[in-house]
Amino acid sequence: MVFNMPKKTILSGIQPTGVFTLGNYIGAIRNWASMQEEYDCFYAIVDLHAITVRQDPNVLRRQSLDCYALLLACGLDPAKSAVFIQSHVPAHSQLSWILSCYTQFGELSRMTQFKDKSSRYSENINAGLFTYPVLQAADILIYNAHYVPVGADQKQHLELARDIAVRFNTVHGETFTLPEPYIPKEGAKVMSLTDPTAKMSKSDDNANSYVSILDPPEMIMKKFKRAVTDSDSVVCYKEGKDGVNNLMTIYGVATGMTNPQIESEFAGKGYGDFKTKTGEAVAEMLRPVREEYARLSAEKDYIRDCYTAGAERAAAVAQATLREVYDKIGFVV
């Protein structure tokens, strides 16, 4: 007799602060879609996190809706996953307050992202900027997530979530699952096209440094033709060739080719042809996303139905966890 084992749970979120980059797509969102068959997935647009930096209300509202449509265009299926807007599930904020009482001041003061953002937004060093790793822990622990897709810059926050969970479990008994990082094997980190030693980021002042997944093909081609390589002319993956290595990573994801296959294809051809082919491959890879996003953007009622249903599905799980926490710490339930 064969028994179906329950799926393990994955939680991830993205801030609604503009169109996703190629780096976001390759390193995270593309993998989110592929996880839906194997895992029980919760994907949130983390608008609560976004307001640690001042936002224009109308822009935030529009970008949250655009972000939701874009996630669906990238392959997230609201019938398979809970795709929701974070602020629509109040249990996140409720658990965050409780967990803040199990988090030490010194732990938060050591968070490198707080130090970084404090220097960048010195005119608004607010308490939310300091405590948002606790909200991030609540996001994860309220669904008892087994895995969290993280980049290197978020590992510290996941470790804090684990520490908070251990502390709570030690005091009140087994309550929270200890989350593990989920790091894809390839394409996990896409670098800037103009500075291949830095991660591709939509906040970069130089628009040529990143590709937005809604960029038209002609713009994608221009950006790749301007991409930084080196004074060599050989397409090969090795130390010291950061720009070429980055383009090979991108080309490999877009075509499914391995590095040896890429090196063989472009042997003796130089960088011009390589950049052109990479741009073409990326434009074609993103074409279905652009087309589906254009369709979904016009389906406003459908989008509303999806994010409402997603929040209801997420809230059912979140409220069950919150009730257990309330009971264990002595709240009247």
Side-chain angles (χ1 to χ4, degrees):
M1 184 178 294
V2 177
F3 295 95
N4 291 324
M5 299 296 292
K7 292 181 178 180
K8 292 195 172 183
T9 300
I10 275 187
L11 177 284
S12 196
I14 191 163
Q15 290 199 31
T17 52
V19 178
F20 311 147
T21 68
L22 177 66
N24 298 136
Y25 181 70
I26 289 177
I29 300 163
R30 182 170 171 267
N31 296 303
W32 291 5
S34 65
M35 295 171 189
Q36 294 177 116
E37 302 300 330
E38 186 176 354
Y39 299 99
D40 192 11
C41 300
F42 293 82
Y43 295 127
I45 295 170
V46 289
D47 52 346
L48 294 175
H49 287 291
I51 64 170
T52 58
V53 176
R54 288 284 179 267
Q55 303 288 337
D56 179 297
N58 292 324
V59 172
L60 177 61
R61 190 174 297 111
R62 174 178 53 79
Q63 288 186 338
S64 295
L65 294 173
D66 289 347
C67 182
Y68 194 94
L70 198 49
L71 286 178
L72 300 193
C74 289
L76 298 196
D77 185 344
K80 295 178 180 178
S81 304
V83 188
F84 62 100
I85 298 172
Q86 183 189 28
S87 62
H88 290 183
V89 184
H92 285 243
S93 301
Q94 293 169 287
L95 182 60
S96 179
W97 169 250
I98 294 170
L99 296 184
S100 71
C101 299
Y102 291 79
T103 307
Q104 301 302 303
F105 181 88
E107 290 175 316
L108 293 177
S109 66
R110 289 191 290 273
M111 294 291 107
T112 55
Q113 282 213 347
F114 172 70
K115 297 174 184 176
D116 173 57
K117 289 191 175 182
S118 296
S119 63
R120 285 194 287 145
Y121 305 105
S122 57
E123 75 289 350
N124 182 29
I125 306 176
N126 57 73
L129 197 62
F130 185 69
T131 62
Y132 89 91
V134 183
L135 175 58
Q136 197 170 52
D139 297 336
I140 298 166
L141 299 179
I142 204 161
Y143 299 106
N144 282 300
H146 297 91
Y147 298 109
V148 181
V150 293
D153 57 341
Q154 290 294 330
K155 282 185 179 180
Q156 190 183 33
H157 290 170
L158 183 60
E159 290 168 3
L160 177 65
R162 288 174 57 88
D163 291 342
I164 295 170
V166 168
R167 188 172 295 133
F168 190 95
N169 290 352
T170 300
V171 175
H172 299 289
E174 288 301 312
T175 307
F176 297 118
T177 299
L178 299 188
E180 298 285 348
Y182 181 99
I183 302 173
K185 294 179 181 179
E186 53 184 296
K189 196 170 185 180
V190 175
M191 311 305 286
S192 163
L193 296 181
T194 57
D195 178 10
T197 63
K199 187 176 178 180
M200 182 179 285
S201 171
K202 58 191 171 188
S203 62
D204 198 307
D205 292 333
N206 186 349
N208 288 316
S209 70
Y210 61 90
V211 171
S212 293
I213 64 174
L214 296 180
D215 279 347
E218 61 272 17
M219 186 176 294
I220 292 174
M221 295 302 300
K222 284 182 181 179
K223 290 180 178 181
F224 274 101
K225 287 180 179 179
R226 295 170 179 170
V228 169
T229 48
D230 51 47
S231 57
D232 195 2
S233 61
V234 180
V235 177
C236 64
Y237 196 101
K238 67 179 182 180
E239 188 176 349
K241 294 176 69 69
D242 296 331
V244 174
N245 294 347
N246 186 40
L247 294 181
M248 288 182 68
T249 296
I250 294 169
Y251 189 71
V253 170
T255 63
M257 296 175 67
T258 64
N259 285 339
Q261 288 173 329
I262 296 170
E263 291 172 2
S264 176
E265 179 182 357
F266 294 100
K269 293 184 179 179
Y271 293 155
D273 188 52
F274 178 44
K275 290 181 182 182
T276 297
K277 290 288 189 180
T278 303
E280 290 172 348
V282 169
E284 180 58 25
M285 178 178 68
L286 297 178
R287 179 182 55 78
V289 176
R290 292 192 300 272
E291 293 175 352
E292 182 66 0
Y293 176 75
R295 185 188 71 80
L296 287 169
S297 294
E299 301 287 340
K300 299 188 185 305
D301 289 344
Y302 173 72
I303 294 297
R304 183 174 59 251
D305 289 345
C306 286
Y307 69 65
T308 300
E312 291 173 352
R313 180 173 171 181
V317 177
Q319 282 294 336
T321 303
L322 190 64
R323 282 195 298 271
E324 180 182 0
V325 170
Y326 273 20
D327 182 60
K328 286 189 173 182
I329 65 175
F331 286 175
V332 177
V333 295

